Amino acid sequence: MKGFIAILAFLCLGVISAIYIGFGTDVKSEPKAIDVEMEGLNEKYVLKFSHVVAENTPKGLAAAMFAKLVREKTDGWVEVQIFPNGVLYDAQEEFRALLENEVHLIAPAFSEVTVHDPNWMVMDLPFVFEDELEVKRAFEGELGKKLFESIETRGYKGVAYWDNGFKQFTNRIRPVVKPRDVEGIAVRVMPSDVLMDTYKHLGASPSTHSFNEVYETLSSGQIDGTENTFSNIYSKGFYKQQEYMTVTNHNYLGYAVLMNAEFWDALPLDHQKNIEDAMGEVTDWLREYAKSHNQEMLEKLKGGNSLEIHFLTEEEKQLWRNELTPVYQKYSNVIGEELVNELLYRED
């Protein structure tokens, strides 16, 4: 990450004190789930999986694949029912529904998780990942472990990190190349303090809207721009309401697959293992598919002639990093040095 380590070295040296948001260190050595070999295995379990994106997106396809594998691995004793496109709950309502066992699986974007656990704001710091390999190493390393430990203190069971892709900036007002080009543009962001402050610092007017309201708010002129992956920009038709797209790769849009911790603990161990095996297979598949699918959607957007597209150069990205130094400074203090350092100084 060219130039970025130097910036954050300065920032972390300047941090006098950090607000400590604790990570649970108590790891239960013994599972609470049923450990009698056959107990609970003659009972059918139905798991409701709620998410807010289209069925043909990477997350939508991964959810369907997961349901199929779980059914196969449990000989039909565990059924995963998929509810896409926010038909049951929007992105924030899902968290309450999960804790109350109205649904049993959700896969919110990282930014949505920040509302319930501020530690996750570390994932919304802009321009910290260079490519998908860096993202993979972060998920599978200490950062991923610590984030799941943190969310589990809130009653959620972290199951997997799912990929989508890097976010890009689209709008209908003007081409965006330099940081101040976004000044005055009304931008939809997910409910993350880091995202809100990032765009406010750049002079934009950020606001939050549920994912399934974005097309309507674009159509009505309530907002001028969005940040999203190629996949979501294309599948949701956002490009039809936009004129300009800047390929920034400024944030990574990934998902945290979560379950209710008590519900998970009550599952028979054999079912837990089969669910984990199915989730592992899907996660590996999704990492490769999301990358190729987003590239395919980029080619469709380029070929549609409806968007003027600019790809940020490395020099232009460095201008953005320099401009956003106050945002890095603020959230190094809020998130805490340990977690920020885990992201910025991980071994690549």
Side-chain angles (χ1 to χ4, degrees), residues 6-73:
I7 293 174
L8 266 296
F10 160 76
L11 294 179
C12 290
L13 285 173
V15 174
I16 297 175
S17 62
I19 298 176
Y20 176 72
I21 303 172
F23 289 94
T25 55
D26 263 331
V27 179
K28 299 171 185 165
S29 58
E30 296 293 333
K32 293 191 293 184
I34 300 165
D35 58 3
V36 178
E37 183 176 356
M38 296 304 296
E39 188 175 349
L41 294 179
N42 61 349
E43 176 184 351
K44 184 171 181 177
Y45 290 83
V46 177
L47 278 60
K48 294 182 179 180
F49 190 161
S50 173
H51 67 79
V52 300
V53 301
E55 294 170 283
N56 62 339
T57 60
K59 179 164 67 171
L61 292 171
M65 180 179 179
F66 173 70
K68 178 177 181 293
L69 287 174
V70 168
R71 183 174 66 250
E72 292 173 354
K73 290 177 181 295

Side-chain angles (χ1 to χ4, degrees), residues 180-248:
R180 287 299 167 181
D181 290 338
V182 302
E183 188 169 355
I185 296 178
V187 184
R188 180 264 177 178
V189 297
M190 285 185 278
S192 161
D193 289 346
V194 178
L195 298 179
M196 291 290 286
D197 282 348
T198 295
Y199 282 100
K200 286 179 180 178
H201 176 75
L202 296 172
S205 299
S207 58
T208 59
H209 303 274
S210 71
F211 184 65
N212 288 309
E213 295 174 342
V214 175
Y215 189 90
E216 181 181 347
T217 53
L218 282 168
S219 300
S220 67
Q222 189 175 350
I223 59 173
D224 305 312
T226 68
E227 52 165 29
N228 227 303
T229 62
F230 297 128
S231 171
N232 287 343
I233 292 167
Y234 189 83
S235 67
K236 284 293 188 178
F238 298 157
Y239 68 96
K240 298 175 183 178
Q241 303 291 331
Q242 310 281 267
E243 294 185 37
Y244 308 99
M245 180 171 71
T246 308
V247 179
T248 54

Side-chain angles (χ1 to χ4, degrees), residues 46 117 128 131 174 177 182 187 200 222 225 309 326-327:
V46 177
D117 185 349
V128 295
D131 54 32
R174 68 180 72 94
V177 178
V182 302
V187 184
K200 286 179 180 178
Q222 189 175 350
I309 303 175
V327 177

